[in-house]
Amino acid sequence: MEEKIGKTLVVTAVLLAVAPAFAAEDHSAHIKGPFATPMEVTKACLECHPKASGEVMKTSHWSWAREQEIAGKGKIAYGKKNIINNFCISLSGNNPRCTSCHVGYGWKDASFDFNDSSRVDCLVCHDKSGTYKKTPTGAGMPDEKVDLLAVAKSVGKPGLKNCGVCHFFGGGADSVKHGDLDSSLEKP
């Protein structure tokens, strides 16, 4: 139970940290479309929020790793992208499925450009329409049926539901990958 509370507090702390930087404002008047690709949406977001992608790109949500001290090896980038875990075993060999929860677009193999700011997925964290969905085996790309313009116009402050898209439903269903994180935490 303590671990579940701890993870809830971490998610809440992250939300509180980013909330002041993203005022609850109606974006429908600012967003013009249509958008042929999700990267075009990100470029539109960056016109008013030029530092946002750089901030995301410094997080473990982007890199799936963080620098850690490893005994006998020194500091190395270590995390989800380069370790064997007890659920899906390894990212290697199944990138398009595993990276469907990445906060970026198109991480299908080792050639992914982690320096391309247009690859940051603003919508997964800021969608308020409830219609944004990533393709399960699409390397972080949104489902082709998603109306990118409608979702972009709906954006707002991230909430627990946004976090839950990946953290509650990782592994394909509610509470599968993260047994202590499930949709009941949407309204703790």
Side-chain angles (χ1 to χ4, degrees):
M1 184 63 167
E2 283 183 39
E3 189 174 335
K4 190 171 192 174
I5 292 169
K7 288 188 178 184
T8 301
L9 292 174
V10 169
V11 170
T12 303
V14 169
L15 291 175
L16 291 174
V18 299
F22 197 85
E25 174 189 329
D26 180 5
H27 281 70
S28 59
H30 306 293
I31 304 294
K32 307 291 181 224
F35 297 111
T37 68
M39 288 72 76
E40 289 177 8
V41 175
T42 298
K43 288 176 184 176
C45 296
L46 293 175
E47 288 176 16
C48 295
H49 306 278
K51 295 180 182 178
S53 64
E55 291 168 358
V56 169
M57 293 165 80
K58 291 177 185 172
T59 70
S60 60
H61 277 95
W62 178 254
S63 66
W64 280 12
R66 63 186 173 134
E67 196 169 86
Q68 298 177 45
E69 185 73 35
I70 304 297
K73 295 184 180 184
K75 287 187 178 186
I76 64 168
Y78 188 66
K80 184 184 285 194
K81 75 177 181 180
N82 61 354
I83 64 170
I84 294 175
N85 66 57
N86 64 351
F87 183 78
C88 296
I89 310 303
S90 172
L91 175 66
S92 179
N94 199 17
N95 289 51
R97 175 63 179 115
C98 294
T99 59
S100 65
C101 276
H102 185 242
V103 294
Y105 300 123
W107 183 7
K108 63 183 179 197
D109 58 31
S111 69
F112 182 74
D113 185 358
F114 284 93
N115 295 308
D116 182 351
S117 62
S118 74
R119 293 287 174 168
V120 172
D121 182 353
C122 305
L123 300 177
V124 72
C125 295
H126 296 282
D127 169 43
K128 292 299 171 192
S129 72
T131 64
Y132 188 70
K133 178 181 172 187
K134 290 195 177 217
T135 302
T137 57
M141 299 300 284
D143 186 283
E144 62 186 34
K145 295 177 187 138
V146 170
D147 182 339
L148 294 171
L149 181 58
V151 174
K153 287 184 174 203
S154 82
V155 297
K157 189 167 44 173
L160 290 174
K161 188 172 189 172
N162 297 98
C163 299
V165 168
C166 291
H167 292 277
F168 302 159
F169 297 95
D174 198 12
S175 192
V176 170
K177 183 174 180 186
H178 307 285
D180 57 343
L181 294 175
D182 62 55
S183 60
S184 70
L185 295 174
E186 222 174 278
K187 296 179 182 168

